[in-house]
């Protein structure tokens, strides 16, 4: 598998690392078709498609059920003195109801408090089906990308997807110190960090309202590959 280009790698990292995003839908309450923007919590499927948990009572959901076209902007600008120097990604495409339980599992691993309302009858999981990706990686670093180039290939990752939940449970229960060390190496503050996801490209960490995305040195396809990469990262973190 060839490694992604730098713009693609930045776009993937930004999408996967985002806890929140700005969702724009097409308003249905008037005949004007005006855009309607709202704040949403974001997770991703194993291939990087964003996943949202939306209430049928929300304006954006009413809009989507009438017209699935949407745009989602996510960023990685937290803590920057000059936010416009940080990366942000705008996705254009369709937001549709998620078809299986994988979206639910990955979302709830990332947003633990959503478990309290995820089972309510009016809430449903939606997944973004992007067509185009617009990356601004800082001043003058602007790229239009095809989603086909940004999405992570997962054809060989069936074992990883099957084992992900058990990997998270084991690492968080028995290797919290290593997770905290990896987070610190990635610029995170001291604390009880959790591993919230692992995919062919890397892993996601969270502590309260702070998240960190850590790329693997090479693509992984199975739980054993993930463990090797986490050991390598933990060793590097302790040495640093």
């Amino acid at each position: 598998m060839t490694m992604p280009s730098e713009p693609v790698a930045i776009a993937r990292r930004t999408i996967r690392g985002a806890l929140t995003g700005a969702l724009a839908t097409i308003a249905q309450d008037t005949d004007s078709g005006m855009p309607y923007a709202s704040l949403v919590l974001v997770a991703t499927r194993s291939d990087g498609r964003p996943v949202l948990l939306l209430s049928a009572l929300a304006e954006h959901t009413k809009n989507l059920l009438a017209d699935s076209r949407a745009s989602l902007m996510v960023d990685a600008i937290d803590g920057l003195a000059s936010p416009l120097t940080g990366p942000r990604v705008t996705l254009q495409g369709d937001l549709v109801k998620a078809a299986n339980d994988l979206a639910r599992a990955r979302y709830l691993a990332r947003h633990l408090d959503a478990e309290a309302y995820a089972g309510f009858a009016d809430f449903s999981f939606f997944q973004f089906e992007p067509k185009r990706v617009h990356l601004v990686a800082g001043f003058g670093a602007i790229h239009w990308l095809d989603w086909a180039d940004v999405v992570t290939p997962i054809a060989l990752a069936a074992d990883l997807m099957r084992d992900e939940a058990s990997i998270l449970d084991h690492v968080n229960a028995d290797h919290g110190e290593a997770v905290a060390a990896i987070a610190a190496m990635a610029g995170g503050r001291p604390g009880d960090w959790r591993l919230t996801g692992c995919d062919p490209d890397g892993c996601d960490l969270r502590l309260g309202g702070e998240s960190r995305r850590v790329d693997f040195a090479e693509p992984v396809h199975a739980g054993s590959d993930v463990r090797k990469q986490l050991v390598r990262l933990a060793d590097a973190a302790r040495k640093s």
Side-chain angles (χ1 to χ4, degrees):
M1 181 184 297
T2 59
M3 297 302 289
S5 68
E6 185 62 18
V8 167
I10 294 172
R12 287 182 180 177
R13 191 180 309 123
T14 303
I15 295 167
R16 291 207 184 265
L19 293 177
T20 63
L23 173 66
T25 55
I26 300 173
Q28 301 297 313
D29 59 350
T30 68
D31 294 329
S32 63
M34 295 292 286
Y36 174 84
S38 52
L39 177 68
V40 292
L41 297 181
V42 179
T44 62
R45 296 185 68 107
S46 298
D47 63 3
R49 281 179 172 81
V51 174
L52 314 178
L53 176 59
L54 306 179
S55 169
L57 303 178
E59 288 295 328
H60 48 231
T61 310
K62 296 175 184 177
N63 295 339
L64 288 167
L65 293 177
D67 188 332
S68 63
R69 290 177 297 169
S71 181
L72 178 70
M73 188 190 80
V74 296
D75 65 66
I77 64 172
D78 285 354
L80 294 180
S82 182
L84 291 181
T85 63
R88 55 270 195 197
V89 172
T90 298
L91 299 151
Q92 294 178 321
D94 293 275
L95 194 56
V96 299
K97 285 194 175 182
N100 60 39
D101 290 338
L102 181 59
R104 176 188 180 91
R106 297 202 96 241
Y107 187 96
L108 295 181
R110 189 164 180 78
H111 301 289
L112 291 178
D113 55 346
E115 184 77 55
Y117 53 85
F120 290 177
D122 62 306
F123 276 85
S124 299
F125 288 94
F126 286 72
Q127 69 183 39
F128 214 100
E129 297 291 350
K131 292 182 174 65
R132 296 204 303 168
V133 179
H134 188 245
L135 167 69
V136 181
F139 291 120
I142 302 170
H143 306 271
W144 276 106
L145 305 169
D146 289 332
W147 175 247
D149 295 324
V150 177
V151 65
T152 298
I154 58 171
L156 301 178
D159 289 346
L160 170 59
M161 294 161 63
R162 180 198 63 211
D163 296 339
E164 182 182 13
S166 63
I167 293 170
L168 299 186
D169 289 344
H170 169 68
V171 171
N172 288 325
D174 298 337
H175 301 287
E177 180 185 352
V179 174
I182 294 170
M185 184 173 63
R189 59 189 169 91
D192 296 326
W193 285 82
R194 289 187 301 110
L195 182 67
T196 64
C198 50
D199 54 75
D201 295 330
C203 61
D204 299 303
L205 313 173
R206 180 167 185 181
L207 172 62
E210 187 176 347
S211 67
R212 285 293 182 272
R213 173 70 183 177
V214 180
D215 292 335
F216 293 146
E218 58 187 27
V220 301
H221 301 122
S224 58
D225 299 330
V226 172
R227 292 182 181 92
K228 291 176 183 177
Q229 290 294 323
L230 291 176
V231 168
R232 183 191 63 80
L233 287 168
D235 287 344
R238 293 186 183 103
K239 291 176 182 177
S240 67

